[in-house]
Amino acid sequence: LNNLNNPDLMKFNRREEVDKLLALLSTDTHKSIFIYGTGLSYVPAQYLYKKLMILGKSCIIATGSDSIGIFENNLKNIHFMIVFSKSGETPLVIDKVSMAKLNGIKTVAFTREIDNSLSSMADICFRIEDFNKLDDRNLLPNTFYPKTLMLIELLLFEFTLDRKLF
């Protein structure tokens, strides 16, 4: 538990964002949570998808190699959308968020801490420090993805046990 409450995880985030996400997760609806990530960002997307499924949440997951139809054909069945993009500039992610916003779907983003297109578009944004901001090919070691997984665990801890960690 003490490892989850790492101050670095919330250094660029606000309590209000956590509370908004927890409220969305707590809303009883027959609609699904749409989760999207492409490239390396698919790893935390898939992790969150599996964790939410274990908790009994209805989810749909897609990546850049999937058909756009997975998203477009389920717009009426989406409660809210969670996307992952380290850069916050991934065109496939930005396009999905734009379409979600046009259809009145709330969006949650996990991205790096500096301002980017995704962080300005999302209704709820979680920012994770990116130590190698110029490494757009992900060649260098970076804690962005492991910290994203830790932040997911922190958020799900609060959701499942209804206890605030910070």
Side-chain angles (χ1 to χ4, degrees), residues 38 43 52 80 99 105-106 108 117 129 147 156 165:
T38 192
V43 173
L52 290 174
F80 67 98
M99 187 177 292
I105 298 169
K106 294 274 187 202
V108 179
S117 298
E129 191 168 16
K147 282 189 174 189
L156 291 178
L165 285 176

Side-chain angles (χ1 to χ4, degrees), residues 4-13 127-129 131 143 147 151 154:
L4 281 180
N5 195 6
N6 181 334
D8 283 348
L9 293 176
M10 292 306 297
K11 183 162 68 172
F12 300 102
N13 298 300
R127 298 168 187 261
I128 299 98
E129 191 168 16
F131 288 109
T143 59
K147 282 189 174 189
L151 182 56
L154 173 74

